[in-house]
Amino acid sequence: MAVSGFEGFEKRLELHFFGDDNDPAVTTMGLRLLDFESLENVLRVVQCTVVSAVGNHFFDAYVLSESSLFVYPTKIIIKTCGTTQLLKSIRPLIHLAKNLGLTICGCRYTRGTFIFPKSQPFPHINFKQEVIYIEENLPNNLCFRKASVMPSKNPSYSWHVFSSSSDNGAHFSDGEFTVEVCMTELDRVLARKFFKTGGDSAAKEMTELTGIGNINPRALICDFVFDPCGYSMNGVNGDRYSTIHVTPEDGFSYASFEYVGSVYDDQDDIVETLKKAVQVFKPATVSVSTTSHRREVWTRVAHAMEPLGLKCRSFAMDEFPTAGTVVFQTFTAARRK
């Protein structure tokens, strides 16, 4: 393991808001009415920028210099890697939403265990400090709060979760689920495919060459290649998103895959989507966090990993205010020769 390098493990922040249901501007556009300059100012505080963007009837998706941003009418998700200061976005986002007539009603923060924790700036020095900072910046109406470190047999793969909400938990959809996949020690041959070799069409070529375009063929993909290496993409499919971020350098190689689905979908789709995503990288270690109100989701994760030669090494489950059940599982492959 490298002494120091780029931090691939992302921090993820999800904020939910509510407004006047009788106001069509709130129900149809809401946070999407925020002008680009306002979003840029928030991202500047976090220490990242927009490099590519796409939108549809339901939401806007931005590829950032450090991961992704998704803006829905009453929900915003920011995912950043490296040494970004993600939690510093909470206060300005709440302020901007308030100017639109929206009030925060839910907050969820998740992350894995940093590869280079000593490189992280305030307030990301440790999880205790992160929780203190979040709570200091949330209004009192988010009175149902819980923080938890979900363990695994390997302390390098713990999952950190903070969730809070107001009395009204309706902002979290009962049938919706989120899957967050973190992969380390990527196959070296496959990781080399994420080093830039082409020109303006390098991102599109990388998406096709690596098989990422086949993970969800129905999705509109917005991709970006970094110089000299690294890759990010957002997939837009109706009102759902998926996202992939890759740090391919040997010694601290890392890739993440996240997507949103519904328990009412074909359950085999969950298995096939996960299998396709993991096969792109063939990692030695995979950790998977699922957030849902239904058990069908996390039971399918093992079904996806086992045919790839990945064995479940640890399993942890916890309940969070209105967010539902979070299940954290880790898988490892047979030692590479």
Short mmCIF file of all heavy atoms in Angstrom, two decimals, residues 11 84 86-87 90 109-112 114 120-137 160 162:
data_model
loop_
_atom_site.label_atom_id
_atom_site.label_comp_id
_atom_site.label_asym_id
_atom_site.label_seq_id
_atom_site.Cartn_x
_atom_site.Cartn_y
_atom_site.Cartn_z
N LYS A 11 -16.96 10.66 0.06
CA LYS A 11 -17.90 11.08 1.08
C LYS A 11 -19.21 11.36 0.33
O LYS A 11 -19.19 11.95 -0.75
CB LYS A 11 -17.43 12.36 1.77
CG LYS A 11 -15.94 12.38 2.12
CD LYS A 11 -15.47 13.79 2.44
CE LYS A 11 -13.99 13.85 2.71
NZ LYS A 11 -13.18 14.05 1.50
N THR A 84 -11.58 16.77 -0.47
CA THR A 84 -12.67 17.75 -0.49
C THR A 84 -13.28 17.90 0.91
O THR A 84 -13.17 16.99 1.74
CB THR A 84 -13.76 17.32 -1.47
OG1 THR A 84 -14.11 15.94 -1.20
CG2 THR A 84 -13.28 17.44 -2.91
N LEU A 86 -16.61 18.16 1.95
CA LEU A 86 -18.01 18.00 1.54
C LEU A 86 -19.00 18.61 2.52
O LEU A 86 -19.96 19.27 2.12
CB LEU A 86 -18.32 16.52 1.32
CG LEU A 86 -19.78 16.17 1.01
CD1 LEU A 86 -20.23 16.83 -0.28
CD2 LEU A 86 -19.96 14.66 0.93
N LEU A 87 -18.79 18.39 3.80
CA LEU A 87 -19.77 18.81 4.79
C LEU A 87 -19.91 20.33 4.87
O LEU A 87 -20.92 20.83 5.40
CB LEU A 87 -19.42 18.23 6.16
CG LEU A 87 -19.50 16.69 6.24
CD1 LEU A 87 -19.13 16.22 7.63
CD2 LEU A 87 -20.88 16.19 5.85
N ILE A 90 -23.31 21.92 3.57
CA ILE A 90 -24.62 21.80 4.22
C ILE A 90 -25.26 23.16 4.46
O ILE A 90 -26.40 23.41 4.04
CB ILE A 90 -24.49 21.03 5.55
CG1 ILE A 90 -24.08 19.58 5.30
CG2 ILE A 90 -25.82 21.08 6.31
CD1 ILE A 90 -23.84 18.79 6.58
N TYR A 109 -25.51 11.06 5.59
CA TYR A 109 -24.08 11.14 5.24
C TYR A 109 -23.47 9.76 5.37
O TYR A 109 -23.67 9.08 6.39
CB TYR A 109 -23.37 12.12 6.16
CG TYR A 109 -21.86 12.17 5.96
CD1 TYR A 109 -21.32 12.69 4.79
CD2 TYR A 109 -20.99 11.68 6.94
CE1 TYR A 109 -19.94 12.74 4.60
CE2 TYR A 109 -19.62 11.73 6.75
CZ TYR A 109 -19.09 12.26 5.59
OH TYR A 109 -17.73 12.30 5.39
N THR A 110 -22.77 9.31 4.32
CA THR A 110 -22.13 7.99 4.37
C THR A 110 -20.73 8.07 3.77
O THR A 110 -20.44 8.89 2.91
CB THR A 110 -22.93 6.94 3.58
OG1 THR A 110 -23.11 7.39 2.22
CG2 THR A 110 -24.29 6.70 4.19
N ARG A 111 -19.89 7.19 4.24
CA ARG A 111 -18.55 7.03 3.65
C ARG A 111 -17.93 5.73 4.14
O ARG A 111 -18.35 5.14 5.16
CB ARG A 111 -17.64 8.20 3.99
CG ARG A 111 -17.21 8.31 5.45
CD ARG A 111 -16.07 9.29 5.60
NE ARG A 111 -15.68 9.55 6.98
CZ ARG A 111 -14.83 8.81 7.68
NH1 ARG A 111 -14.31 7.71 7.15
NH2 ARG A 111 -14.51 9.14 8.92
N GLY A 112 -16.91 5.28 3.41
CA GLY A 112 -16.14 4.13 3.85
C GLY A 112 -15.01 4.59 4.75
O GLY A 112 -15.02 5.69 5.30
N PHE A 114 -11.28 5.82 4.95
CA PHE A 114 -10.30 6.44 4.05
C PHE A 114 -9.02 5.61 3.97
O PHE A 114 -8.55 5.04 4.96
CB PHE A 114 -9.95 7.85 4.53
CG PHE A 114 -11.11 8.82 4.52
CD1 PHE A 114 -11.43 9.55 5.65
CD2 PHE A 114 -11.87 8.99 3.38
CE1 PHE A 114 -12.49 10.45 5.65
CE2 PHE A 114 -12.94 9.88 3.36
CZ PHE A 114 -13.25 10.61 4.50
N GLN A 120 -6.85 13.93 5.31
CA GLN A 120 -8.16 14.58 5.26
C GLN A 120 -8.17 15.89 6.07
O GLN A 120 -7.68 15.92 7.19
CB GLN A 120 -9.25 13.64 5.79
CG GLN A 120 -9.55 12.48 4.88
CD GLN A 120 -10.08 12.91 3.52
OE1 GLN A 120 -10.94 13.78 3.42
NE2 GLN A 120 -9.55 12.30 2.47
N PRO A 121 -8.76 16.94 5.50
CA PRO A 121 -8.85 18.22 6.20
C PRO A 121 -10.07 18.28 7.12
O PRO A 121 -10.97 17.42 7.04
CB PRO A 121 -9.00 19.22 5.05
CG PRO A 121 -9.79 18.46 4.03
CD PRO A 121 -9.33 17.02 4.13
N PHE A 122 -10.13 19.29 7.97
CA PHE A 122 -11.31 19.55 8.79
C PHE A 122 -12.50 19.82 7.86
O PHE A 122 -12.34 20.47 6.83
CB PHE A 122 -11.06 20.78 9.67
CG PHE A 122 -12.25 21.20 10.48
CD1 PHE A 122 -12.52 20.60 11.69
CD2 PHE A 122 -13.12 22.19 10.00
CE1 PHE A 122 -13.63 20.97 12.43
CE2 PHE A 122 -14.23 22.56 10.73
CZ PHE A 122 -14.48 21.95 11.95
N PRO A 123 -13.69 19.32 8.14
CA PRO A 123 -14.09 18.57 9.33
C PRO A 123 -14.04 17.06 9.19
O PRO A 123 -14.73 16.34 9.91
CB PRO A 123 -15.54 19.05 9.52
CG PRO A 123 -16.03 19.19 8.11
CD PRO A 123 -14.86 19.68 7.30
N HIS A 124 -13.24 16.57 8.25
CA HIS A 124 -13.22 15.13 7.95
C HIS A 124 -12.04 14.41 8.61
O HIS A 124 -11.60 13.37 8.12
CB HIS A 124 -13.20 14.93 6.44
CG HIS A 124 -14.39 15.51 5.75
ND1 HIS A 124 -15.63 14.90 5.76
CD2 HIS A 124 -14.56 16.68 5.07
CE1 HIS A 124 -16.50 15.65 5.09
NE2 HIS A 124 -15.88 16.73 4.67
N ILE A 125 -11.56 14.97 9.71
CA ILE A 125 -10.41 14.40 10.41
C ILE A 125 -10.74 13.00 10.95
O ILE A 125 -9.92 12.09 10.89
CB ILE A 125 -9.98 15.33 11.56
CG1 ILE A 125 -9.57 16.70 10.99
CG2 ILE A 125 -8.84 14.73 12.36
CD1 ILE A 125 -9.42 17.78 12.03
N ASN A 126 -11.95 12.85 11.46
CA ASN A 126 -12.44 11.55 11.92
C ASN A 126 -13.97 11.60 11.95
O ASN A 126 -14.56 12.68 11.81
CB ASN A 126 -11.87 11.16 13.29
CG ASN A 126 -12.11 12.22 14.34
OD1 ASN A 126 -13.26 12.62 14.57
ND2 ASN A 126 -11.05 12.70 14.98
N PHE A 127 -14.60 10.46 12.13
CA PHE A 127 -16.06 10.41 12.03
C PHE A 127 -16.73 11.18 13.18
O PHE A 127 -17.76 11.83 12.98
CB PHE A 127 -16.54 8.96 12.03
CG PHE A 127 -18.01 8.80 11.76
CD1 PHE A 127 -18.59 9.36 10.62
CD2 PHE A 127 -18.82 8.12 12.65
CE1 PHE A 127 -19.95 9.23 10.36
CE2 PHE A 127 -20.18 7.97 12.39
CZ PHE A 127 -20.75 8.53 11.26
N LYS A 128 -16.14 11.14 14.36
CA LYS A 128 -16.70 11.88 15.49
C LYS A 128 -16.76 13.37 15.18
O LYS A 128 -17.77 14.03 15.44
CB LYS A 128 -15.86 11.64 16.74
CG LYS A 128 -16.41 12.34 17.98
CD LYS A 128 -15.55 12.06 19.20
CE LYS A 128 -16.08 12.78 20.43
NZ LYS A 128 -15.25 12.51 21.64
N GLN A 129 -15.69 13.90 14.59
CA GLN A 129 -15.66 15.31 14.24
C GLN A 129 -16.67 15.62 13.14
O GLN A 129 -17.32 16.67 13.14
CB GLN A 129 -14.26 15.71 13.78
CG GLN A 129 -14.10 17.18 13.41
CD GLN A 129 -14.39 18.09 14.57
OE1 GLN A 129 -13.69 18.07 15.58
NE2 GLN A 129 -15.43 18.92 14.45
N GLU A 130 -16.82 14.70 12.19
CA GLU A 130 -17.80 14.88 11.12
C GLU A 130 -19.22 14.98 11.68
O GLU A 130 -20.01 15.84 11.28
CB GLU A 130 -17.71 13.72 10.12
CG GLU A 130 -16.45 13.75 9.26
CD GLU A 130 -16.32 12.53 8.38
OE1 GLU A 130 -16.57 11.41 8.89
OE2 GLU A 130 -15.96 12.68 7.20
N VAL A 131 -19.54 14.10 12.61
CA VAL A 131 -20.88 14.10 13.20
C VAL A 131 -21.13 15.39 13.97
O VAL A 131 -22.21 16.00 13.86
CB VAL A 131 -21.07 12.87 14.13
CG1 VAL A 131 -22.38 12.97 14.91
CG2 VAL A 131 -21.04 11.58 13.31
N ILE A 132 -20.15 15.84 14.73
CA ILE A 132 -20.28 17.10 15.47
C ILE A 132 -20.55 18.24 14.50
O ILE A 132 -21.44 19.08 14.73
CB ILE A 132 -19.00 17.38 16.30
CG1 ILE A 132 -18.87 16.38 17.44
CG2 ILE A 132 -19.02 18.81 16.85
CD1 ILE A 132 -17.55 16.45 18.18
N TYR A 133 -19.79 18.27 13.41
CA TYR A 133 -19.94 19.35 12.44
C TYR A 133 -21.32 19.32 11.77
O TYR A 133 -21.96 20.36 11.61
CB TYR A 133 -18.84 19.23 11.37
CG TYR A 133 -18.81 20.41 10.43
CD1 TYR A 133 -18.08 21.55 10.72
CD2 TYR A 133 -19.51 20.38 9.23
CE1 TYR A 133 -18.05 22.64 9.86
CE2 TYR A 133 -19.51 21.46 8.35
CZ TYR A 133 -18.76 22.58 8.67
OH TYR A 133 -18.75 23.66 7.81
N ILE A 134 -21.76 18.13 11.41
CA ILE A 134 -23.10 18.01 10.78
C ILE A 134 -24.17 18.52 11.72
O ILE A 134 -25.03 19.33 11.35
CB ILE A 134 -23.40 16.55 10.39
CG1 ILE A 134 -22.44 16.05 9.31
CG2 ILE A 134 -24.84 16.43 9.87
CD1 ILE A 134 -22.54 14.55 9.04
N GLU A 135 -24.13 18.06 12.97
CA GLU A 135 -25.17 18.42 13.92
C GLU A 135 -25.17 19.92 14.22
O GLU A 135 -26.22 20.52 14.44
CB GLU A 135 -25.00 17.62 15.20
CG GLU A 135 -25.24 16.12 14.99
CD GLU A 135 -25.49 15.37 16.27
OE1 GLU A 135 -24.73 15.60 17.23
OE2 GLU A 135 -26.43 14.55 16.31
N GLU A 136 -23.99 20.55 14.18
CA GLU A 136 -23.90 21.99 14.41
C GLU A 136 -24.51 22.78 13.26
O GLU A 136 -24.91 23.94 13.43
CB GLU A 136 -22.44 22.41 14.59
CG GLU A 136 -21.84 21.99 15.94
CD GLU A 136 -20.36 22.35 16.03
OE1 GLU A 136 -19.75 22.65 14.97
OE2 GLU A 136 -19.82 22.31 17.15
N ASN A 137 -24.59 22.16 12.08
CA ASN A 137 -25.08 22.88 10.89
C ASN A 137 -26.48 22.49 10.47
O ASN A 137 -26.99 23.02 9.47
CB ASN A 137 -24.10 22.66 9.73
CG ASN A 137 -22.83 23.48 9.88
OD1 ASN A 137 -22.78 24.64 9.51
ND2 ASN A 137 -21.79 22.87 10.45
N HIS A 160 -19.44 4.18 7.58
CA HIS A 160 -19.85 5.24 8.48
C HIS A 160 -21.17 5.85 8.00
O HIS A 160 -21.27 6.25 6.83
CB HIS A 160 -18.78 6.32 8.55
CG HIS A 160 -17.42 5.79 8.91
ND1 HIS A 160 -16.66 5.02 8.05
CD2 HIS A 160 -16.67 5.92 10.04
CE1 HIS A 160 -15.52 4.69 8.64
NE2 HIS A 160 -15.51 5.22 9.84
N PHE A 162 -24.45 8.58 9.09
CA PHE A 162 -25.19 9.52 9.92
C PHE A 162 -26.50 9.80 9.21
O PHE A 162 -26.53 10.08 8.01
CB PHE A 162 -24.43 10.84 10.12
CG PHE A 162 -25.25 11.90 10.84
CD1 PHE A 162 -25.25 11.97 12.22
CD2 PHE A 162 -26.06 12.78 10.12
CE1 PHE A 162 -26.02 12.90 12.89
CE2 PHE A 162 -26.83 13.72 10.79
CZ PHE A 162 -26.81 13.78 12.17
#
